[in-house]
C-alpha cells in the first residue's frame, strides 16, 4: 500500500501537533482493495509520518496472559475492571516497550509503559516482572505476574496520517493509523500446538480525534464503513482458539477472521 501522495510529517512534529491525550478512538475493518479510493478522498492537507523515507513501519506485539486467559476473558465478558499486557516493538527502529493497560471500576483506561530490551521482547524479564507487579498492584489487581506467559504475537505494517483541523469544531484536528499485512501467531503453550492466521485482504483503520468525528471518519462513512468492535488480542485469540467465548467479536470473526483461519 502506497502513501506517496501525501506530504510527509516528522515524528517530532506529529507528536507536538497531535498528541490528542483526550480522544475518541474508532476502529474500522476495511478491505485492502478499497483503501486507495478512501485515501484519495482525504484532503490535500493530509500528511503521513515519514522516517528516513519509510512510511509503513513494521510493528510487533507480544501479549501476555495467565494460563486461564484471565485478561482475555475479562475483555470478552466486558468486565468493568480488566487489564492487558504486551510488549510493543518498533521493528525498523529496533526499540521496544512493555505496555500495561488497566481499566478500573470507573471505566477509566490507563496505559503505562516501560522502555524494554528489544531482544527480550518475547518474555517478561526481571525488570518487566517488577514493573508489571507494581502497575497491576497499584490498579488493584490481585495477580502474580510470574504466572503470565506469552500467548499471541501480532505483526503488521502501520502508516500514520495527520489531518490538520480548520479551526472549527466541524473539522477537528485528528490522526489515523492504517494497519495492513496483519498476522497472528499462537504460542504452542496455550493449546499444545501453534497456529497462525493471516488476513492480507483487510486493513484496520483507527481514527483518533476529539469528541467529534474526524474527516477520515466521514470519508469512511461515505464508503459504507462503520466502526467495528475489534481487538487485535481478543479477536485474534478467538480466531486462533475456537471455543473461547467471543460474542463481543462474533460479527468481525465471522466476516473477516474465520475464513482466514
Amino acid at each position: 500500500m502506497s502513501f506517496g501522495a501525501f506530504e510527509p510529517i516528522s515524528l517530532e512534529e506529529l507528536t507536538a501537533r497531535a498528541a490528542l491525550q483526550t480522544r475518541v478512538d474508532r476502529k474500522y475493518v476495511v478491505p485492502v482493495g478499497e483503501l486507495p479510493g478512501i485515501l484519495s478522498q482525504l484532503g490535500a492537507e493530509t500528511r503521513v509520518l515519514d522516517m528516513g523515507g519509510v512510511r509503513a513501519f513494521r510493528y510487533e506485539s507480544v501479549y501476555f496472559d495467565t494460563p486461564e486467559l484471565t485478561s482475555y476473558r475479562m475483555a470478552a465478558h466486558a468486565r468493568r475492571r480488566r487489564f492487558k499486557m504486551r510488549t510493543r516493538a518498533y521493528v525498523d527502529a529496533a526499540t521496544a516497550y512493555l505496555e500495561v493497560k488497566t481499566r478500573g471500576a470507573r471505566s477509566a483506561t490507563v496505559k503505562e509503559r516501560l522502555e524494554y530490551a528489544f531482544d527480550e521482547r518475547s518474555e517478561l524479564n526481571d525488570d518487566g516482572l517488577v514493573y508489571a507487579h507494581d502497575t497491576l498492584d497499584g490498579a488493584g489487581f490481585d495477580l502474580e505476574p510470574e504466572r503470565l506467559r506469552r500467548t499471541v504475537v501480532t505483526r503488521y505494517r502501520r502508516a500514520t496520517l495527520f489531518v490538520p483541523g480548520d479551526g472549527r469544531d466541524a473539522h477537528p484536528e485528528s490522526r489515523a493509523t492504517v494497519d495492513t499485512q496483519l498476522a497472528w501467531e499462537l504460542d504452542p503453550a496455550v493449546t499444545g500446538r501453534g497456529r497462525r492466521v493471516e488476513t492480507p485482504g483487510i486493513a484496520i483503520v483507527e481514527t483518533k480525534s476529539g469528541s467529534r468525528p474526524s474527516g477520515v471518519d466521514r470519508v469512511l462513512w461515505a464508503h459504507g464503513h462503520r466502526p467495528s468492535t475489534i481487538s487485535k488480542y481478543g479477536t485474534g485469540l478467538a480466531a486462533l482458539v475456537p471455543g473461547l467465548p467471543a460474542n463481543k467479536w462474533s460479527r468481525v470473526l465471522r466476516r473477516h477472521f474465520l475464513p482466514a483461519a
Side-chain angles (χ1 to χ4, degrees):
M1 180 58 56
S2 173
F3 295 87
F6 301 119
E7 290 296 316
I9 187 171
S10 68
L11 179 60
E12 293 75 17
E13 185 178 359
L14 178 68
T15 302
R17 297 189 62 181
L20 294 174
Q21 295 300 319
T22 302
R23 71 192 192 195
V24 175
D25 297 345
R26 300 176 180 87
K27 296 180 181 179
Y28 302 82
V29 181
V30 178
V32 168
E34 294 186 28
L35 281 180
I38 292 170
L39 295 174
S40 70
Q41 292 186 14
L42 300 181
E45 71 280 3
T46 301
R47 299 167 69 184
V48 62
L49 176 63
D50 185 302
M51 298 175 64
V54 178
R55 297 188 170 194
F57 303 91
R58 291 179 294 166
Y59 277 54
E60 179 187 276
S61 295
V62 180
Y63 291 88
F64 301 92
D65 208 338
T66 66
E68 302 82 20
L69 302 178
T70 302
S71 173
Y72 171 87
R73 294 179 188 278
M74 285 179 167
H77 293 296
R79 297 286 176 82
R80 181 173 296 181
R81 296 182 69 256
R82 55 186 185 262
F83 75 93
K84 186 183 295 181
M85 186 174 303
R86 71 185 178 198
T87 58
R88 165 163 285 183
Y90 304 92
V91 178
D92 298 292
T95 60
Y97 293 86
L98 175 64
E99 299 183 342
V100 184
K101 184 183 292 186
T102 57
R103 177 175 290 189
R106 296 183 179 180
S107 297
T109 299
V110 177
K111 184 170 76 172
E112 302 182 67
R113 68 180 192 170
L114 171 75
E115 191 168 353
Y116 212 69
F118 181 78
D119 292 338
E120 299 178 17
R121 64 191 184 278
S122 293
E123 305 292 341
L124 286 175
N125 61 22
D126 291 342
D127 290 340
L129 288 171
V130 171
Y131 186 77
H133 179 275
D134 292 345
T135 305
L136 292 173
D137 186 63
F141 289 90
D142 184 16
L143 188 148
E144 298 176 1
E146 289 79 8
R147 299 188 67 243
L148 296 170
R149 64 185 185 184
R150 183 175 62 247
T151 53
V152 171
V153 180
T154 66
R155 297 181 179 90
Y156 51 95
R157 284 189 176 270
R158 168 170 289 185
T160 301
L161 304 176
F162 170 66
V163 184
D166 63 358
R168 297 178 297 172
D169 289 341
H171 298 282
E173 189 173 84
S174 64
R175 280 191 290 132
T177 57
V178 182
D179 296 343
T180 56
Q181 300 180 27
L182 293 135
W184 288 258
E185 186 175 334
L186 181 70
D187 192 276
V190 177
T191 62
R193 65 184 181 92
R195 199 178 186 201
R196 183 179 175 88
V197 170
E198 297 182 13
T199 56
I202 66 169
I204 297 177
V205 180
E206 184 170 357
T207 63
K208 308 167 191 293
S209 64
S211 58
R212 290 182 177 273
S214 69
V216 181
D217 288 297
R218 298 184 188 282
V219 171
L220 286 162
W221 296 350
H223 281 257
H225 298 291
R226 294 295 182 268
S228 297
T229 300
I230 184 170
S231 156
K232 284 194 179 72
Y233 178 54
T235 311
L237 185 56
L240 289 161
V241 186
L244 286 176
N247 290 346
K248 183 176 180 180
W249 306 295
S250 58
R251 183 176 180 182
V252 171
L253 278 167
R254 287 195 306 268
R255 292 186 62 184
H256 302 291
F257 282 79
L258 295 185

